[in-house]
Amino acid sequence: MMSFAPARRPIGCLKTVFRQARQQRIARRGLASVVEAPPSSKDRFTERQRAAHAKVEKFQVWPQIPSVRSTNPDPMPIFRQQQIAQLDPTGARTRLFSKDHADSAKVGDVLMVTTRTGEPFSGAFIQIRRRGVDTAILLRGQMMKTGVEMWFKIYSPTVTGIDIIWRRRKRARRARLTYMRKPKHDMGSVDHLVSAWKKERYALRSKSKQHVGGKGGKGRK
């Protein structure tokens, strides 16, 4: 039987040599080496660049000029308030369509707008466009069995009166009731509501006149 021991010895010697060389290489890597300091920023520039940099440093830097918005407030809100106070001195129109007022007109109510030129127009209040002085409301009514929509500016001098004819029982969940244009949700004519409101108003006026007349007669006696 042949023996393989003599053939294995040279291979084992090579492994030992490689192992020692690897250890020496690792030891060399672990040795601390002297790190040269990087050149300073001054040494990086040439003399021409240094002279230009010195000239720039001598320049005087002025502070930034404040903007017009920071020094002067926006005059438009004050101007709008002045216009509204001029067109609505009592503040009745502002309270009628105010979000904070409890008795204000809500979307879905039936309103009647009286103007100087033309007959009063009554319809369902389906939308409001808040634009300060140009605030407008959209009413949808019916004329000759045809749906009609009209915009009215609440602060317009031609609008003499805005009355709430009928109030919606439940609060509308939308700010724009555009779905009322469909035949399924259209209120149609509101003349019956207007006539009932006029009768009730006339009855209240007659009662108040009778009450005032009775007091005056007793005083005269």
Side-chain angles (χ1 to χ4, degrees), residues 29 37 78 108 136 153:
R29 290 178 182 176
I78 301 174
K153 293 187 177 182

Side-chain angles (χ1 to χ4, degrees), residues 31-39:
L31 294 176
S33 58
V34 179
V35 180
E36 296 182 358

Side-chain angles (χ1 to χ4, degrees), residues 45-148:
F45 301 106
T46 61
E47 294 182 359
R48 186 176 180 181
Q49 291 176 346
R50 291 174 192 169
H53 187 66
K55 289 181 180 180
V56 172
E57 288 181 349
K58 293 180 181 179
F59 290 162
Q60 187 175 3
V61 180
W62 296 94
Q64 186 179 1
I65 300 174
S67 62
V68 180
R69 292 184 178 180
S70 60
T71 55
N72 301 323
D74 187 9
M76 291 307 297
I78 301 174
F79 180 67
R80 293 193 192 98
Q81 291 295 333
Q82 292 177 356
Q83 284 186 325
I84 291 173
Q86 185 178 0
L87 296 173
D88 186 22
T90 59
R93 302 281 175 86
T94 305
R95 290 192 300 271
L96 184 60
F97 295 97
S98 176
K99 294 181 180 180
D100 302 329
H101 203 266
D103 297 334
S104 61
K106 307 294 183 184
V107 177
D109 299 345
V110 177
L111 307 181
M112 184 176 67
V113 179
T114 308
T115 58
R116 293 180 182 177
T117 58
E119 297 181 357
F121 182 83
S122 56
F125 177 29
I126 64 175
Q127 184 181 348
I128 183 170
R129 183 176 59 196
R130 301 183 186 276
R131 297 290 186 276
V133 185
D134 296 331
T135 300
I137 57 175
L138 179 62
L139 302 183
R140 179 176 177 81
Q142 191 174 20
M143 291 183 179
M144 303 294 292
K145 297 182 180 181
T146 304
V148 179

Side-chain angles (χ1 to χ4, degrees), residues 135-198:
T135 300
I137 57 175
L138 179 62
L139 302 183
R140 179 176 177 81
Q142 191 174 20
M143 291 183 179
M144 303 294 292
K145 297 182 180 181
T146 304
V148 179
E149 294 183 1
M150 293 186 67
W151 283 97
F152 294 97
K153 293 187 177 182
I154 63 175
Y155 296 112
S156 176
T158 58
V159 177
T160 57
I162 301 175
D163 299 315
I164 300 176
I165 305 300
W166 177 80
R167 289 186 180 274
R168 188 186 180 98
R169 294 181 180 178
K170 294 183 179 180
R171 182 182 64 84
R173 296 185 179 181
R174 299 183 183 180
R176 300 177 182 178
L177 305 183
T178 53
Y179 64 86
M180 296 184 70
R181 295 170 179 169
K182 298 180 180 180
K184 181 180 178 180
H185 305 284
D186 193 2
M187 289 185 65
S189 178
V190 294
D191 293 339
H192 61 287
L193 298 175
V194 175
S195 59
W197 174 77
K198 287 182 178 179

Side-chain angles (χ1 to χ4, degrees), residues 212-221:
V212 172
K215 283 186 176 181
K218 289 180 181 179
R220 288 175 185 175
K221 288 180 180 179

Side-chain angles (χ1 to χ4, degrees), residues 13-51:
C13 295
L14 289 174
K15 287 184 178 180
T16 305
V17 172
F18 290 152
R19 191 182 299 110
Q20 292 177 358
R22 193 183 305 112
Q23 291 177 357
Q24 290 178 2
R25 198 181 303 113
I26 294 171
R28 288 176 184 175
R29 290 178 182 176
L31 294 176
S33 58
V34 179
V35 180
E36 296 182 358
S40 60
S41 59
K42 294 183 179 180
D43 298 334
R44 294 178 183 177
F45 301 106
T46 61
E47 294 182 359
R48 186 176 180 181
Q49 291 176 346
R50 291 174 192 169

